[in-house]
Amino acid sequence: MSALTIKGLKKQFGPAEVICGVDLEVEKNEVHAVIGPNGAGKSTFFNLLSGAFPPTSGEIQLFGERIDGLSPEKIQQRGLARSFQVSNVFVNLSVFENLRCACFKQSHAGYVFWRPAARVREANRRAEEVLEMIGLQALRDVPAGSLPYASQRALEIGMTIACDAPVVLLDEPTAGMSNSETAQAIKLIRQVAEGRTLMIVEHDMGVVFELADRISVLVYGKIIATGKPEDIRNDPKVREAYLGEEAA
Ligand SMILES: Nc1ncnc2c1ncn2[C@@H]1O[C@H](COP(=O)(O)OP(=O)(O)OP(=O)(O)O)[C@@H](O)[C@H]1O
């Protein structure tokens, strides 16, 4: 069964149709990148999948169950978590406290039958696990607002996966990073992708071609091609509409 099945998805803002009938199957455990020019509708597409906006029409299934029209909280409980382009961390809380909050919120949402003490214990355990995974143990007690930018983005990825969702959407995870920071982020994203389905929106084609199992190209709200990186790289439609010389 696919992780996500998207059928005839449309989104209009007033008279403007921004997502114009997207059909897509995202396979379980694949890394699926969505690329496209500025304003193509990539963030809007993620906003529809994660429930930030209701679709105008169409269907979104998560592991075969409809999720379109549900709230972001409900969708997260069903197993789809997302990060944002703009950082979402609490700047005055430490790295560990940020992770604990994200874990606690999730354990509260997902396991209401747990006793409070058990919930706190579980949130602490999971926060330790995620802290290690994102490699920020040395910065554990530093306020998130004082972290270098790349570490803040790593923390944000950690907060996104705190709930251990099987499907994760990352919106421009390497935006604004230097080459060495990007290399570190790629490592982290590979780790995050283990045993999960990952969708990423990313402008850096190096990152996309390195990480993605498959790529969908979104142009003016329509997917013009979906395929393996080498097929996308060589697709004349894609080169004309988007990649140009970048992929040469
Ligand atoms: N809430 C909204 N209300 C009205 N129009 C919107 C809204 N959100 C997005 N749009 C419009 O939808 C179009 C697609 O925007 P979107 O941010 O999804 O594109 P994008 O592909 O993510 O762009 P970028 O690569 O620059 O982040 C744009 O023309 C934008 O102005």
Side-chain angles (χ1 to χ4, degrees), residues 17-61:
E17 196 169 66
V18 170
I19 298 294
C20 316
V22 164
D23 296 299
L24 181 66
E25 298 270 349
V26 179
E27 304 302 331
K28 206 171 157 212
N29 291 347
E30 77 170 321
V31 177
H32 197 111
V34 179
I35 64 172
N38 290 330
K42 303 178 297 295
S43 293
T44 305
F45 184 45
F46 267 23
N47 282 330
L48 296 175
L49 298 180
S50 63
F53 299 147
T56 305
S57 60
E59 218 177 289
I60 305 167
Q61 294 172 11

